[in-house]
Amino acid sequence: MSIEYDAVVVGSGPNGLAAAITLARAGYSVVVYEGNATIGGGARSAELTLPKFLHDVCSAVHPLAAGSPFFNTLPLEKHGLTWIQPEIPLAHPLDDGTTACLYRDIDVTAERLSGDSSAYGRLMKPLARNWENLSTEFLQPMLHWPQHPITLAHFGILALCPATLLAKLIFKGEPARALFAGIAAHSFLPLEAPVSSAFGLVLGLAGHAVGWPIPRGRSQQISNALADYLRALGGKIEVNRPVENLRDLPKSRAILLDVSVWEFVKIAGHEMPSRYRRRLESFRHAPGIFKIDYALSEPIPWKAEACRRAGTIHLGGTIDEIAAAERDVVRGKIPERPFVLVAQQSLFDETRAPHGQQTLWAYCHVPFNCGTDMSDRIESQIERFAPGFRDCIIARHKMSAADLGGSNPNLTGGDINGGAANLMQLIARPVLSPTPYRTPLPGVYLCSASTPPGGGVHGMCGYHAARAVLCEALSAR
């Protein structure tokens, strides 16, 4: 059978599209197969509640996309992607009426963390000055020869610390501690776990370096811009093309799979060496999420004025309260007061909702594959800091952790990170190898969030996998 394409990519999430673009830019013929009717994977949008209310199905706020070393080499603005920067990237209200905020400006952030101004500056400024070098280092496999070893070592020493330990050693006051804890909780790790600080540092630094922006129009615009650029390079995308077996694919020199390790086992497990298959089957899931999208009659009546100017809001109270909630989740318990992440995109993007009305995106962490309805707990946390919130609700759209796999098989059980990001699974993701994207199957590569550097809309898993393909499977053409 003759070769139809140089490469076939399965999955049109940001990593799949990044892989396809990398190969198309190198002059190779590429086709992307997408099982759903729409492209985008975790970067999709839809009218989930009511007509004209545009909601982001999964990812909503995109510091890593704006700071992606790969995305920043692409002319995505010419293909319809425009970033909106909320006045305040992140707000974290507390019960005593104070609000800790992450501003683009480190000095402004530090000044408003009463009692911890100097400590915050000492922690973040040296790292922020090296954002471009650092982002290149940590958005690739951990097993690599660093180009900036001193900078990476400085970051690595801090990043290895548990978030609770680092925050309590460095900061004296609750606002700074809570702010750091909320950012670190994006890791889905217990805050007492090693490397949980890495997520607080990376996302905090990104906030200062590139902001926590939202795409004008919806998160789907990221995927649409990537797809439009790929087509301009000659690449093809076919939707409604689910893949259940590698033999379903056209003949090619390379196959890149933007699927989780568990989906890969379903597709090709019978062809894998048993040892490799067992390793993938033992790869640990991250906890899941319970997500709600709201159509609102008016903006949320936050008690704290800063929350009315913030794109993202973390609701969880003190560092100890957040740590307790995340600890419960990892232990398989339902937290009574969960840590809630909120994005209010329509405050800054008038295209998201009818005039005068609003959308709200919210989720909390839950045990993997949990089917419990967390809406009352989420709404209680919002009401805690915005009394009268429930009176604003016109409609809700709920998705439990157990439901999420129905919309995207890569999100089975509510795991949006492609597997736990603990220390072992950051080093061996999904296997211990200098080229973790390569599989034992000839010409077959993984390029999903189950490979380095892991979850997030940054495209770097796809980019690095495609670079491996260019060095190996396509080098002899």
Side-chain angles (χ1 to χ4, degrees):
M1 184 183 295
S2 62
I3 298 292
E4 295 183 49
Y5 298 96
D6 291 312
V8 177
V9 177
V10 177
S12 68
N15 284 314
L17 293 172
I21 288 170
T22 302
L23 298 175
R25 287 173 107 187
Y28 294 97
S29 59
V30 185
V31 64
V32 177
Y33 275 23
E34 169 55 51
N36 285 320
T38 56
I39 64 166
R44 290 188 297 124
S45 307
E47 294 180 339
L48 297 177
T49 55
L50 297 170
K52 298 185 180 180
F53 286 84
L54 286 173
H55 303 277
D56 294 328
V57 174
C58 189
S59 62
V61 181
H62 298 283
L64 294 183
S68 167
F70 176 63
F71 286 171
N72 286 330
T73 68
L74 309 180
L76 298 182
E77 69 285 349
K78 295 180 181 178
H79 294 271
L81 179 60
T82 302
W83 292 116
I84 295 174
Q85 296 282 0
E87 180 183 352
I88 300 174
L90 169 67
H92 188 123
L94 294 165
D95 290 307
D96 63 4
T98 59
T99 308
C101 292
L102 178 76
Y103 296 87
R104 289 289 304 275
D105 190 311
I106 290 182
D107 289 329
V108 173
T109 303
E111 285 169 11
R112 301 185 185 185
L113 292 173
S114 179
D116 282 309
S117 299
S118 297
Y120 190 86
R122 285 195 302 270
L123 174 65
M124 302 300 276
K125 277 188 174 181
L127 297 172
R129 283 194 292 265
N130 291 293
W131 165 259
E132 289 191 8
N133 294 338
L134 272 174
S135 62
T136 300
E137 296 285 5
F138 53 62
L139 289 175
Q140 63 174 300
M142 287 187 70
L143 297 179
H144 72 274
W145 289 106
Q147 292 181 299
H148 310 281
I150 295 175
T151 299
L152 185 60
H154 178 195
F155 169 81
I157 291 168
L158 297 168
L160 282 170
C161 290
T164 48
L165 175 63
L166 186 65
K168 290 183 177 182
L169 281 175
I170 291 179
F171 302 126
K172 299 176 182 177
E174 191 54 53
R177 290 177 172 181
L179 179 67
F180 188 79
I183 302 173
H186 284 252
S187 67
F188 286 82
L189 297 172
L191 298 190
E192 302 85 5
V195 306
S196 52
S197 284
F199 294 81
L201 292 169
V202 168
L203 294 176
L205 290 169
H208 295 308
V210 298
W212 281 25
I214 59 175
R216 181 174 295 280
R218 52 203 168 127
S219 287
Q220 184 78 48
Q221 291 299 103
I222 300 173
S223 302
N224 290 349
L226 289 167
D228 194 49
Y229 181 51
L230 173 61
R231 293 187 184 103
L233 294 170
K236 297 181 180 179
I237 301 173
E238 297 186 16
V239 298
N240 294 315
R241 294 297 297 265
V243 176
E244 297 180 358
N245 192 299
L246 296 181
R247 296 187 183 92
D248 298 338
L249 300 173
K251 188 71 173 175
S252 65
R253 292 181 171 85
I255 297 170
L256 296 94
L257 299 163
D258 184 10
V259 303
S260 71
V261 294
W262 305 281
E263 283 301 300
F264 183 34
V265 170
K266 290 180 184 177
I267 293 170
H270 61 286
E271 300 180 33
M272 297 176 189
S274 58
R275 183 176 179 182
Y276 183 80
R277 185 180 67 250
R278 286 196 300 270
R279 167 57 189 156
L280 297 191
E281 289 171 340
S282 67
F283 199 66
R284 289 182 55 193
H285 276 287
I289 66 166
F290 181 94
K291 179 173 178 283
I292 312 184
D293 291 282
Y294 295 95
L296 304 177
S297 61
E298 59 188 272
I300 299 173
W302 299 108
K303 287 191 292 187
E305 188 271 338
C307 291
R308 303 178 187 188
R309 298 184 286 126
T312 303
I313 300 165
H314 286 167
L315 305 176
T318 66
I319 185 173
D320 290 336
E321 185 181 338
I322 297 168
E326 296 303 286
R327 196 181 309 124
D328 281 348
V329 167
V330 173
R331 292 174 177 174
K333 295 175 60 179
I334 304 296
E336 192 58 41
R337 295 180 107 180
F339 173 61
V340 176
L341 300 91
V342 167
Q344 42 189 11
Q345 303 97 307
S346 58
L347 280 184
F348 309 94
D349 182 359
E350 69 284 354
T351 70
R352 304 291 187 107
H355 181 70
Q357 298 176 313
Q358 304 291 328
T359 61
L360 185 70
W361 174 99
Y363 77 82
C364 70
H365 299 164
V366 294
F368 177 75
N369 209 34
C370 174
T372 301
D373 185 337
M374 298 291 289
S375 52
D376 283 345
R377 291 178 175 90
I378 287 175
E379 289 171 15
S380 293
Q381 286 286 64
I382 300 174
E383 282 273 347
R384 173 180 170 187
F385 299 101
F389 164 70
R390 285 190 174 96
D391 296 334
C392 304
I393 298 171
I394 304 172
R396 300 174 179 85
H397 177 271
K398 307 176 187 179
M399 291 193 79
S400 72
D403 294 334
L404 276 162
S407 67
N408 184 341
N410 288 335
L411 305 182
T412 296
D415 179 354
I416 63 174
N417 273 343
N422 55 42
L423 180 57
M424 180 54 67
Q425 289 193 180
L426 287 176
I427 296 172
R429 191 170 188 88
V431 294
L432 187 64
S433 168
T435 312
Y437 313 97
R438 185 197 305 128
T439 78
L441 305 181
V444 178
Y445 295 76
L446 273 176
C447 66
S448 69
S450 295
T451 64
V457 177
H458 44 64
M460 296 303 291
C461 309
Y463 168 74
H464 289 304
R467 295 297 302 172
V469 170
L470 289 172
C471 292
E472 299 170 1
L474 298 181
S475 62
R477 193 185 80 166

